[in-house]
Amino acid sequence: MPGPAAERAGSRSRPSIWCAAADAPDPTPGRMGPEMIAESLQPQDVRWAMLLPLKPPGAAKSRLTLASGHLRTELVLAMAADVAAVALACPRVALVLVVADSAEGLEPLQRMGATVVVDPAGQGLNGSLRYAAGLVAARDHSYGIASLVADVAAVTVDQLTRALDAAAAAGTAFVPDAAGRGTTFVAARQWGSFLPEYGLHSRRLHVEAGFTELVLSDAEGLRLDVDTITDLAAVSAIGAGPRTRAVLDQIGGPLQ
């Protein structure tokens, strides 16, 4: 069953790309006040904007030593599409936005119903996510803001829903990656508190910043991002999404 984001996307006649509106407020998180959502709102009632950061598909995942660079590009887009499909189907998610340096090559994700946000300043991962959060808030400041890396190709709707509900209850929260050093998911119930710290040692940085670390049962798909062939084999073993599986079928043979 499609989630609110998918239903909203289905009503659009063409793909969408967001840029800063002329009358938008300063898209820098940190503003507090009456624009924030009511504290009495129940976690399951929070509407979320889901941000999916994505490097240019042709340049991403350089550590994946596949026989063909073309297959690597296909795999990057397939994993992102599987993650976007889960976000679009999630009952808590009202908007799905792919945050990128360019919209080039992202038409398949737009056709699915995701909106592309291009950061004109190219501020890097965390800066671009904060920029996208500001654009969301300029349109409706009641949204919770969450980000999910676009290579957790085995994530499920149930896992994402539980993570969002737990984040809404906590206020700000994150999910560490399977390696225990990085981060796959960051969320803030109030948009001004969305201050992600992706990058080296991001798990430690999020803890130090006061984010609640979520420990969810049966959520391996939410934690397992893909950087290496070993990661890809692990995702395949626990159940990659259908688009990722299709590319893996093209690769053929054991992943090692």
Side-chain angles (χ1 to χ4, degrees):
M1 182 176 181
E7 292 175 356
R8 183 188 298 265
S11 68
R12 294 202 300 258
S13 60
R14 59 180 180 176
S16 176
I17 300 176
W18 280 13
C19 58
D23 59 349
D26 178 8
T28 302
R31 297 186 310 123
M32 304 292 288
E35 76 275 13
M36 296 306 182
I37 60 175
E39 289 298 328
S40 60
L41 200 63
Q42 295 300 307
Q44 65 270 22
D45 295 328
V46 176
R47 296 179 307 152
W48 291 92
M50 181 63 62
L51 313 181
L52 308 179
L54 187 62
K55 292 181 179 180
K61 303 302 174 188
S62 59
R63 285 192 285 165
L64 281 176
T65 53
L66 302 179
S68 165
H70 175 68
L71 275 179
R72 187 173 67 239
T73 299
E74 282 194 28
L75 180 62
V76 168
L77 279 173
M79 292 191 295
D82 282 332
V83 174
V86 167
L88 287 162
C90 180
R92 307 292 188 261
V93 176
L95 294 172
V96 176
L97 302 101
V98 177
V99 182
D101 293 335
S102 167
E104 184 177 355
L106 303 184
E107 291 84 0
L109 302 179
Q110 292 175 284
R111 286 194 293 269
M112 293 175 66
T115 294
V116 172
V117 173
V118 176
D119 176 9
Q123 302 172 75
L125 176 55
N126 293 315
S128 293
L129 287 172
R130 289 193 286 268
Y131 171 82
L135 292 183
V136 172
R139 287 158 173 78
D140 187 336
H141 49 245
S142 69
Y143 283 115
I145 307 293
S147 59
L148 179 64
V149 295
D151 57 354
V152 283
V155 67
T156 67
V157 172
D158 172 70
Q159 292 167 359
L160 184 57
T161 301
R162 288 188 289 120
L164 289 170
D165 285 351
T172 58
F174 77 100
V175 173
D177 66 7
R181 295 183 296 275
T183 302
T184 59
F185 169 91
V186 179
R189 181 168 168 169
Q190 299 178 345
W191 84 273
S193 300
F194 181 72
L195 298 166
E197 294 284 359
Y198 286 107
L200 192 63
H201 306 304
S202 63
R203 180 184 189 177
R204 174 175 57 80
L205 292 174
H206 283 121
V207 170
E208 291 175 351
F211 285 76
T212 297
E213 181 173 331
L214 299 181
V215 181
L216 305 172
S217 62
D218 301 319
E220 189 175 5
L222 182 62
R223 297 186 60 192
L224 188 52
D225 56 341
V226 174
D227 289 314
T228 66
I229 288 293
T230 300
D231 298 333
L232 191 57
V235 162
S236 179
I238 66 173
R243 298 162 187 81
T244 303
R245 289 200 307 270
V247 177
L248 293 178
D249 288 343
Q250 292 182 56
I251 296 172
L255 295 169
Q256 56 184 357

